Amino acid sequence: MSDEIRPTVGKVVMATGVHPYLITHPQQPILENMLTGRMDAEQFTANEWHHISLTTINGSASAMVDGKPIFQLTSIRNTDTGFVALGTNGWFPVQFDNFKVWQAGNSWAPATWCTAAKDGDVLSVRECTTNGLASTDQMFELVPSYQLRHIPSGLCATASSLDAGSNVMLQTCSTGPSDVQIFSNDYTRIRNGMEPIRVGELVFSASSTTLKVSLEKGHIASTFSSWVYFPNTQQLRNQYTGQSAYPLCLSTCPPRV
């Protein structure tokens, strides 16, 4: 059996054999988005190669078996990115060969409206880049000194003041103690789940509607104040796993609502 998978955004599972083809999410197997297309096992001859292709672009997926469409432009959730797996629905010998992955869709290009970060730029949030790509505007490092450093520019996140509602911008990293550059966090736990980041008595927050970043005293409607750090892509995200809304990441790009 030869396989061709072109993933961009979304987790897709194909079940073969006498079962219907499925597109689902691991936390809701079988029950979500069951498809009508199916090919019974009788249509496959043992010891012959067959070709499977699967394409996902944003919120839709299409698949073909030996050139025959099984489903086309079927809706899937686009809040997830992750791995592709090959397998069978039973315990029997099988071979996979000529496995290839191509880029599909337009989720591979950098943000065209975002210029190189510089001193004084105000931080915001925007949709996280996908496909394991590391976008320069979203690359941050949680420094052991509790500074939050933007890696490409070498500048640090700096609160404009320690008053509620103040914004956060990039400035030269201080070599000594500076309250406006201390973004306290649990250095270990924030890599494994949602954790708050605090600046003094205030919480590092962002609005999911205006996409602006600020320091707040507590939770405000349409804002989030917990973050998770993805070391591989160096992103600070507002979701550890895909939820109903698309994940947002800390960014040096200006807000684009």
Side-chain angles (χ1 to χ4, degrees):
M1 183 174 289
S2 177
D3 298 271
E4 170 187 313
I5 299 181
R6 304 181 182 186
T8 54
V9 180
K11 292 183 179 176
V12 177
V13 177
M14 288 187 65
T16 60
V18 297
H19 300 286
Y21 289 86
L22 307 178
I23 292 184
T24 183
H25 182 269
Q27 295 176 347
Q28 298 170 303
I30 307 303
L31 299 179
E32 183 181 3
N33 294 336
M34 183 174 287
L35 304 177
T36 56
R38 62 181 293 163
M39 293 187 72
D40 294 332
E42 289 77 9
Q43 297 177 246
F44 294 93
T45 303
N47 301 316
E48 289 184 1
W49 288 102
H50 299 275
H51 184 269
I52 295 175
S53 67
L54 173 63
T55 303
T56 67
I57 300 177
N58 297 324
S60 66
S62 303
M64 301 180 70
V65 176
D66 291 336
K68 176 182 177 180
I70 303 302
F71 51 85
Q72 294 180 303
L73 301 179
T74 299
S75 295
I76 58 174
R77 51 185 282 165
N78 69 342
T79 58
D80 311 286
T81 59
F83 298 97
V84 172
L86 297 177
T88 67
N89 62 344
W91 297 95
F92 45 80
V94 64
Q95 290 183 339
F96 297 98
D97 198 5
N98 297 329
F99 177 79
K100 300 177 182 179
V101 179
W102 283 272
Q103 296 180 2
N106 58 0
S107 299
W108 302 86
T112 56
W113 76 92
C114 189
T115 58
K118 63 184 182 301
D119 194 311
D121 282 352
V122 177
L123 299 183
S124 64
V125 291
R126 73 177 183 93
E127 291 187 350
C128 300
T129 55
T130 61
N131 303 315
L133 299 179
S135 181
T136 56
D137 67 289
Q138 296 180 4
M139 296 172 63
F140 289 85
E141 179 186 11
L142 297 175
V143 184
S145 62
Y146 293 115
Q147 289 171 303
L148 178 56
R149 186 174 69 91
H150 178 240
I151 296 172
S153 68
L155 300 171
C156 282
T158 308
S160 59
S161 74
L162 295 180
D163 297 323
S166 59
N167 60 23
V168 179
M169 65 187 72
L170 290 178
Q171 288 188 355
T172 301
C173 297
S174 173
T175 57
S178 175
D179 291 342
V180 292
Q181 285 192 359
I182 302 299
F183 287 73
S184 301
N185 61 87
D186 190 309
Y187 194 74
T188 300
R189 291 173 61 89
I190 200 170
R191 288 162 167 75
N192 299 290
M194 305 301 299
E195 290 290 323
I197 298 177
R198 292 183 172 85
V199 180
E201 299 297 323
L202 302 176
V203 181
F204 187 46
S205 306
S207 170
S208 56
T209 53
T210 66
L211 306 182
K212 294 181 179 180
V213 169
S214 61
L215 302 183
E216 304 296 343
K217 288 185 177 179
H219 179 72
I220 299 176
S222 301
T223 67
F224 57 89
S225 54
S226 294
W227 305 79
V228 60
Y229 186 62
F230 280 41
N232 289 342
T233 53
Q234 296 154 329
Q235 294 171 320
L236 263 178
R237 300 170 59 124
N238 73 332
Q239 295 179 29
Y240 186 59
T241 57
Q243 300 171 5
S244 57
Y246 197 89
L248 298 174
C249 282
L250 186 65
S251 170
T252 61
C253 295
R256 192 178 186 185
V257 180

